[in-house]
Amino acid sequence: MRLLMVEDTTDLAETVSARFAKAGIVCDLAATIREAEDHISLQRYDALVLDINLPDGSGTDLLRVMRRRGDRTPVLMLTALVSVDSRVDALDLGADDYLVKPFDQRELEARLRALVRREATQKGDTIHLGPLAYSPSQMSATLDGGKLSLTRREAALLELLMRFPEQFLSKERLYDGLYAFDDADVGLNAIELYIARLRKRLSGSRIAIETQRGIGYRIVSLG
């Protein structure tokens, strides 16, 4: 799962992001509406965590723009405002859920997973490739009917490959799907490590991950 958190309280944002990372969730951070728009223009997110009070306007302004242009990315609003009217206004504009500050990290994660699950169910949850099936909402896969043992990062990589079957994806494209913008200490070689791990998981099956030097990787069914 890849999230964008739009929150100008630096300590809160960094703490939440660090806890997300431990749970295997990639979280990019933006402190303003302008920064958020820059991120959204470059990256597709599974969900947004959007504060209402931001330095350059209200988070509801960004929400309104997203919905007007047809962007249906699930949005959870964060607010210190406890009035019913403010919450109703956000929901009427197209927010999918809201959470009042201060909040428990476990509740935030649970609500986000529920939103992503609901979105995935509406779109058709399971992705199939021959004998391989992957559920994005559960971050789990089965091969020939048996469950694969995957780490969260391996699961995220498998999902990226399966969303573009038989299409070569560059190492950079896979990296962008697995790591946040500020994960500067993680190099591109990490992708080779996770590809190697996935190949071991798929060893002996009719599913293979192929490499084309200088181009990237693709997943294929061998029939």
Side-chain angles (χ1 to χ4, degrees), residues 5-10 12-13 16 49-54 76-82 87 98-104 107:
M5 183 173 187
V6 189
E7 166 62 62
D8 66 318
T9 304
T10 304
L12 172 62
V16 170
V49 180
L50 180 57
D51 191 19
I52 286 184
N53 295 314
L54 294 166
L76 183 147
M77 303 296 297
L78 290 181
T79 176
L81 305 173
V82 295
R87 285 175 271 172
Y98 66 87
L99 200 55
V100 177
K101 298 178 184 178
F103 54 83
D104 187 292
E107 182 177 8

Side-chain angles (χ1 to χ4, degrees), residues 134-209:
Y134 180 81
S135 170
S137 63
Q138 300 297 323
M139 294 190 74
S140 65
T142 59
L143 180 61
D144 290 316
K147 186 172 182 179
L148 286 178
S149 176
L150 300 171
T151 66
R152 291 188 177 278
R153 201 76 82 178
E154 290 167 1
L157 177 58
L158 180 61
E159 178 180 349
L160 278 171
L161 291 168
M162 289 187 69
R163 287 194 181 280
F164 303 92
E166 301 189 3
Q167 177 179 329
F168 283 102
L169 300 178
S170 69
K171 193 182 295 185
E172 291 79 8
R173 170 69 180 85
L174 296 173
Y175 180 92
D176 287 344
L178 264 64
Y179 294 99
F181 289 124
D182 57 359
D183 282 328
D185 56 335
V186 180
L188 281 174
N189 288 340
I191 298 301
E192 296 178 9
L193 171 65
Y194 286 110
I195 288 289
R197 289 181 179 178
L198 275 184
R199 281 176 168 150
K200 286 184 179 180
R201 311 287 192 205
L202 301 171
S203 177
S205 75
R206 291 175 288 145
I207 301 296
I209 297 176

